[in-house]
Amino acid sequence: MEKKNIVITIARQYGSGGKTVGHMLAKELGFNCYGRELIRMASEDSGINEKLFGQVDESVRRSFLQKMANIKKIYDGELLPPESEGFVSDDNLFNYQAKIIKELAASENCVIIGRCADFVLRDNENCLSIFVHGSREFCLARSMERNSMTPREMQKFIEKTDKYRGDYYKYHTGHSWYDARNYDLCLDSSKLGFDGCVAAIKAHMAVRFKDYDLSFLK
């Protein structure tokens, strides 16, 4: 069987447990799992201060993206050199994260959470893109377990966070974050549970990558 790297990207609604599913899956398969680590790696690769990457992380700069909601800067792979005026621009910082994502995809089996990785790797036949979502009640209940807010405050926070993630995705990809056509597999964690989501992904891999060396599935 052919030995190729397999990359699983996971986009997720806030509170759906998509990050948890990603880490569980990576542990079962023996893969590395990358999320915020990509910021540090992109900083080391570019020489740009890690704090600047943090400013365009998916959990901040909401006001910026809300203002830019109707504007798109679709990722095209271009990297600006250090002498360029836009070297530390938001777009170039995103492009350096994308560069790291591509390098990881070329070098190892891995799971990548967020970062528009499904779009960055859209031409990679070895990439399996997942979207994890859940019912309003499920996402709220899970979020309440980890945050000291009232249910009303928490629901507003969830909606704000998901809107930001959608705006971030639209800005960098030109596509709707919620569009199922962007993903190979959409999973409802409120119905499947985390173990069920992991099992569904592994079952999909067994069919999708049947000509690959899948010894890690055993």
Side-chain angles (χ1 to χ4, degrees):
M1 291 191 176
E2 197 170 359
K3 195 168 184 64
K4 288 185 179 180
N5 296 325
I6 294 176
V7 182
I8 300 155
T9 67
I10 297 183
R12 76 282 185 218
Q13 282 186 305
Y14 189 88
S16 68
K19 182 178 179 180
T20 299
V21 169
H23 282 282
M24 288 173 60
L25 177 68
K27 184 176 180 179
E28 284 199 22
L29 299 178
F31 290 9
N32 287 321
C33 185
Y34 298 98
R36 288 188 57 82
E37 296 87 350
L38 293 170
I39 295 176
R40 173 186 55 77
M41 296 168 74
S43 172
E44 292 174 353
D45 184 71
S46 64
I48 300 173
N49 192 307
E50 188 173 337
K51 291 182 180 179
L52 291 177
F53 283 93
Q55 291 174 4
V56 290
D57 186 26
E58 288 186 66
S59 60
V60 290
R61 298 294 293 273
R62 289 182 173 82
S63 60
F64 165 75
L65 280 178
Q66 286 168 357
K67 291 176 183 177
M68 303 292 283
N70 296 317
I71 301 175
K72 305 181 189 72
K73 181 61 177 178
I74 300 174
Y75 167 72
D76 60 7
E78 179 186 9
L79 287 172
L80 299 178
E83 63 272 15
S84 170
E85 183 178 346
F87 181 60
V88 294
S89 67
D90 294 338
D91 298 327
N92 204 41
L93 296 178
F94 176 85
N95 291 351
Y96 266 101
Q97 289 186 70
K99 175 177 181 284
I100 297 299
I101 288 171
K102 286 188 169 182
E103 289 175 351
L104 288 171
S107 63
E108 63 176 273
N109 295 321
C110 59
V111 175
I112 300 176
I113 299 172
R115 317 292 161 181
C116 303
D118 60 283
F119 184 81
V120 173
L121 299 176
R122 64 194 182 281
D123 296 324
N124 187 330
E125 64 178 9
N126 308 334
C127 175
L128 173 58
S129 58
I130 311 293
F131 186 85
V132 179
H133 59 100
S135 68
R136 178 188 176 102
E137 296 75 18
F138 179 81
C139 292
L140 177 60
R142 283 201 70 255
S143 300
M144 289 292 293
E145 292 173 358
R146 298 171 293 145
N147 296 277
S148 55
M149 296 184 191
T150 66
R152 185 175 181 180
E153 290 171 338
M154 192 71 253
Q155 187 58 49
K156 286 185 176 180
F157 180 81
I158 291 171
E159 291 170 359
K160 188 175 182 179
T161 302
D162 283 345
K163 183 183 186 309
Y164 172 79
R165 289 179 177 176
D167 289 344
Y168 180 95
Y169 191 87
K170 183 69 173 287
Y171 179 76
H172 288 295
T173 72
H175 297 296
S176 170
W177 185 59
Y178 282 111
D179 191 338
R181 292 172 295 183
N182 297 325
Y183 312 101
D184 297 310
L185 195 60
C186 295
L187 301 172
D188 186 338
S189 57
S190 60
K191 294 179 179 178
L192 294 174
F194 299 157
D195 287 327
C197 286
V198 170
I201 295 170
K202 290 169 67 176
H204 187 97
M205 292 173 68
V207 176
R208 166 81 177 274
F209 302 116
K210 62 182 183 298
D211 296 326
Y212 290 43
D213 176 5
L214 299 177
S215 54
F216 49 77
L217 285 179
K218 299 175 182 178

